[in-house]
Amino acid sequence: MDFGKKRKLGVENRSVEALNCHTSSFANTDWHQLSSSLSSWNQPSDTHTLSFPKAANASSSTIGKPVPLNWNLSDSVEKEEIYLSTGPGLLPLSLSNFSSDTEFIERSARFSCFVSNESNAIAETQMQMDIAGKTEALKDKSKLNYHSSNSGSSKKDQSELESPITKKRKSKQEMELHKSQDTAQLPSDVAKNVVDSKQKAEKNSLIMATVKPSGKNSKVAGEAQKEDYIHVRARRGQATNSHSLAERVRREKISERMKFLQDLVPGCSKITGKAVMLDEIINYVQSLQRQVEFLSMKLAAVNPRLDFNIEGILSKDLFQTRSGPSSAIGFSHDMINHQLHSLHQNIIQVGMPGVMNPTEVFRRELNVQLPSTSTFKEAAQQMPNAWDDDLQNIIQMTYGNSTPLKTQDLNGTPHDLFPL
Amino acid sequence: MKQNKNTSSNNSPRKASMQTYHFLRSLTHINLTRPSSPLHRRSRAIRRAAYVSMARAASPRRMWTRAILGRLQLLRRARLLRRRRNYKKKTTISTPHDKLRRLVPGGEEMDFCRLLEETADYAEFLSKQVRIMRSVVDFMEAECRKKEEKV
């Protein structure tokens, strides 16, 4: 029933990932701290057992590693029981690290928030704890560990832990949040990669931190109550209110994007602060738009004098591509052959860095082209449909290896078009 | 105002060149059809062509591309129906992000996080477009000068 559903949802890399992150991050010391901080997992403590964050610091590598959780969840495990079935399965590691059942319970309660499924959540947390307690070596091998743990020892830890939280799980988002949480503590680049990958993988779904307090789950609920999306772990010394957690993730997202924008907008490397940065971005976009408008007016003014030039250029390109394969050297068109050759050469030269190259090329093209403009026009009219592929080839060659118009700006354009 | 028919099935691997291609095509189209129309109209059409070529070259996943292309469709339909509608929506609650929202097409109904993302993408394509246009203008002017010199 639940497990079946959970398996579908949970048996996803992200959830395991999250687990791995957490588990690896947890050191034994944290456990102890946690256990000590929590008298009972039932109590709605706000788990400032934010030893978690410490643990998170300990392990960083686990982040971003999808570990498909094969929830060998025994169906026997019920909601109220802790993820035992799942937990043990995950942890090949001995549970020797558990100092006490109370600790275990506490942790499980805490982690349960990270798991959408009730039992799964508990199991995950438990597993996390176990693994965390185990070694940090698990960080990098979270995948394997999880797999093995899942398949291996099962239900070792079947202790009666209650699954306080009933949440649906979207493992991916869990992982995302986890990662976004952990990233704050982890080296920025790792975090960024994680978050970036997460963001890329995920739609930009906000973290829905909705609290679903249920009786004894209040404690766990307090920790990180997300439903459907992302699980965030509270950092040490920070409020674990679900809203604040979601907000924190959101803030991190925003700051990350601001940094990216900072790189994009020229001359903004030294600016710190969102407000100033925002103003700069607005100014930049405004200036760009004004430039477009101004240039369009200029083009409108210039164009009437050069009626057929553009057409000629394009038709030239057309002929060029049409007549030959992608290598625009083999021109078969008689009347345009040598012109195309020169054009091709010019186009190739365009590939060289520099702003002026295109204009030079165009100039050359025009000069070459002028005598045969009429023929071009006719030819252009004859093959209006061949443009797409041909021009693509031409353009490809033209702007092939190097940046199209400006090297410095368009260097990575083919790849950076959709950076986010 | 002219309408730019940017119908192409380009699968160019070079998106920047796609942008160039679209823009040059629409520019040619503008020049061919009604080259004698008043300057402001042509400039408006060219400006629209610039934005549409930007949007075409960019990913349709983006909100701003959809907004621009949607605006194009609306313009066409509006022109058909000889009606112009203003889509100015005044947001009652003013936030520091309002200005940015107004700048980026389609930025009204996005949360701030998404807005930043869209802004980055939009700014990138905008800068590319500016470069393309500038080079075309330079080329044209050089050409003009050469012609004048010859004469």
Side-chain angles (χ1 to χ4, degrees):
Chain A
M1 28 182 288
D2 287 338
F3 288 112
K5 197 174 47 172
K6 290 169 190 176
R7 270 183 211 146
K8 285 179 202 168
L9 300 175
V11 185
E12 291 166 22
N13 306 338
R14 310 300 176 129
S15 57
V16 178
E17 243 179 336
L19 291 178
N20 290 332
C21 295
H22 291 295
T23 56
S24 60
S25 62
F26 280 85
N28 285 334
T29 56
D30 293 333
W31 281 7
H32 290 292
Q33 289 174 12
L34 292 178
S35 57
S36 59
S37 62
L38 296 173
S39 57
S40 80
W41 68 278
N42 277 340
Q43 291 175 5
S45 57
D46 26 50
T47 49
H48 291 293
T49 48
L50 315 181
S51 53
F52 287 8
K54 278 206 225 160
N57 288 329
S59 72
S60 54
S61 55
T62 52
I63 293 181
K65 287 191 183 171
V67 179
L69 260 186
N70 299 323
W71 291 108
N72 305 330
L73 305 177
S74 63
D75 295 336
S76 61
V77 177
E78 299 174 2
K79 262 195 181 184
E80 289 308 311
E81 292 181 5
I82 302 193
Y83 47 91
L84 314 172
S85 53
T86 61
L90 287 184
L91 303 175
L93 308 174
S94 63
L95 304 174
S96 57
N97 287 329
F98 295 132
S99 55
S100 65
D101 285 343
T102 54
E103 283 182 349
F104 196 67
I105 293 176
E106 290 166 356
R107 280 183 233 113
S108 62
R110 247 176 273 120
F111 288 102
S112 59
C113 63
F114 295 112
V115 182
S116 58
N117 296 327
E118 294 174 352
S119 60
N120 283 345
I122 300 177
E124 284 178 1
T125 56
Q126 190 174 12
M127 287 186 293
Q128 289 175 3
M129 297 194 295
D130 294 342
I131 296 180
K134 254 310 171 182
T135 55
E136 297 183 351
L138 291 177
K139 302 178 202 174
D140 296 329
K141 289 152 194 171
S142 53
K143 243 189 205 170
L144 300 176
N145 289 340
Y146 270 117
H147 278 295
S148 58
S149 60
N150 281 333
S151 55
S153 66
S154 58
K155 306 154 194 194
K156 284 189 212 167
D157 308 334
Q158 297 193 9
S159 56
E160 297 191 0
L161 301 174
E162 302 185 3
S163 60
I165 296 180
T166 66
K167 287 179 195 158
K168 324 158 212 173
R169 178 203 327 183
K170 253 197 186 174
S171 55
K172 280 189 183 179
Q173 283 153 337
E174 292 173 18
M175 297 309 300
E176 187 174 349
L177 244 197
H178 279 314
K179 289 180 186 170
S180 59
Q181 282 282 313
D182 289 334
T183 56
Q185 302 145 2
L186 297 173
S188 56
D189 54 349
V190 173
K192 271 202 178 145
N193 291 337
V194 169
V195 180
D196 285 341
S197 62
K198 283 299 172 180
Q199 286 168 352
K200 283 172 190 165
E202 293 289 331
K203 31 190 171 173
N204 294 329
S205 56
L206 279 183
I207 300 169
M208 303 273 299
T210 61
V211 177
K212 277 187 180 177
S214 58
K216 45 191 168 176
N217 304 337
S218 53
K219 178 189 85 169
V220 182
E223 248 189 355
Q225 291 188 345
K226 318 264 174 260
E227 58 179 14
D228 283 340
Y229 302 112
I230 303 168
H231 287 289
V232 186
R233 186 185 308 172
R235 285 187 228 156
R236 183 178 180 78
Q238 292 188 353
T240 54
N241 188 22
S242 60
H243 294 294
S244 53
L245 279 170
E247 260 192 53
R248 192 181 330 132
V249 175
R250 190 170 158 274
R251 260 181 273 136
E252 285 169 2
K253 264 189 184 176
I254 288 177
S255 64
E256 179 200 336
R257 273 151 207 193
M258 293 287 282
K259 279 185 210 145
F260 179 77
L261 275 168
Q262 210 171 19
D263 297 334
L264 204 61
V265 179
C268 278
S269 52
K270 299 171 192 171
I271 295 179
T272 52
K274 280 203 311 194
V276 185
M277 192 61 220
L278 201 63
D279 286 339
E280 281 298 314
I281 291 166
I282 289 173
N283 287 339
Y284 181 62
V285 172
Q286 261 174 354
S287 77
L288 283 178
Q289 283 179 343
R290 268 185 249 127
Q291 274 179 31
V292 168
E293 192 142 358
F294 171 72
L295 285 170
S296 71
M297 275 189 356
K298 214 169 174 187
L299 270 177
V302 169
N303 267 339
R305 288 183 283 162
L306 307 170
D307 282 341
F308 307 117
N309 287 337
I310 296 175
E311 178 198 352
I313 294 164
L314 288 173
S315 61
K316 226 189 210 172
D317 294 342
L318 185 75
F319 282 123
Q320 196 166 8
T321 54
R322 184 169 162 277
S323 58
S326 56
S327 76
I329 298 186
F331 302 135
S332 55
H333 235 274
D334 290 345
M335 51 179 174
I336 330 175
N337 248 349
H338 77 283
Q339 284 148 354
L340 285 175
H341 265 291
S342 59
L343 176 66
H344 178 56
Q345 288 165 10
N346 293 337
I347 289 179
I348 289 182
Q349 289 173 23
V350 174
M352 290 178 348
V355 184
M356 287 309 298
N357 278 341
T359 61
E360 290 165 8
V361 170
F362 279 118
R363 237 177 276 133
R364 273 179 239 127
E365 293 173 13
L366 270 191
N367 292 336
V368 171
Q369 183 184 352
L370 281 173
S372 52
T373 307
S374 55
T375 52
F376 283 153
K377 273 199 293 180
E378 291 161 9
Q381 289 159 11
Q382 286 165 17
M383 33 189 181
N385 302 323
W387 269 27
D388 293 346
D389 302 336
D390 295 343
L391 196 55
Q392 276 179 35
N393 288 336
I394 275 282
I395 292 177
Q396 196 169 358
M397 288 180 321
T398 302
Y399 307 107
N401 305 325
S402 59
T403 60
L405 298 173
K406 270 192 191 174
T407 38
Q408 70 248 15
D409 297 323
L410 300 176
N411 262 329
T413 33
H415 312 289
D416 299 342
L417 280 178
F418 313 114
L420 296 176
Chain B
M1 296 235 205
K2 301 184 194 65
Q3 201 166 0
N4 303 318
K5 300 170 195 160
N6 287 323
T7 57
S8 79
S9 54
N10 280 340
N11 302 320
S12 171
R14 305 291 174 176
K15 306 267 177 101
S17 58
M18 250 187 81
Q19 201 169 335
T20 318
Y21 167 68
H22 279 298
F23 182 63
L24 287 178
R25 253 183 74 161
S26 42
L27 203 56
T28 317
H29 181 262
I30 293 175
N31 289 333
L32 285 180
T33 65
R34 292 213 274 163
S36 55
S37 65
L39 191 71
H40 65 277
R41 285 207 169 178
R42 292 175 74 239
S43 73
R44 284 251 126 199
I46 292 175
R47 182 171 153 272
R48 217 178 331 124
Y51 280 109
V52 171
S53 68
M54 261 174 62
R56 294 238 167 197
S59 155
R61 259 185 64 237
R62 291 287 173 191
M63 185 75 81
W64 63 270
T65 45
R66 276 182 266 152
I68 289 179
L69 295 175
R71 227 186 280 166
L72 186 72
Q73 293 296 320
L74 281 171
L75 268 178
R76 288 182 176 169
R77 282 193 220 116
R79 202 184 309 168
L80 284 176
L81 301 173
R82 297 185 176 259
R83 238 188 313 152
R84 285 271 172 97
R85 280 173 287 173
N86 282 335
Y87 290 95
K88 283 204 176 160
K89 191 174 77 162
K90 292 272 179 177
T91 54
T92 52
I93 305 172
S94 71
T95 73
H97 320 148
D98 261 359
K99 226 175 172 185
L100 193 58
R101 274 186 210 273
R102 267 178 267 137
L103 283 177
V104 178
E108 293 283 345
E109 298 110 15
M110 285 190 286
D111 52 297
F112 187 54
C113 201
R114 184 92 191 272
L115 182 69
L116 288 181
E117 214 181 310
E118 298 279 328
T119 308
D121 202 49
Y122 181 63
E124 189 177 342
F125 277 89
L126 251 187
S127 62
K128 264 186 250 162
Q129 185 65 38
V130 166
R131 259 178 270 131
I132 289 172
M133 290 176 79
R134 210 176 268 155
S135 64
V136 173
V137 167
D138 289 343
F139 167 58
M140 297 283 214
E141 290 189 330
E143 194 48 40
C144 262
R145 264 181 262 125
K146 283 212 166 180
K147 271 189 172 177
E148 287 166 11
E149 286 170 14
K150 282 184 179 177
V151 173

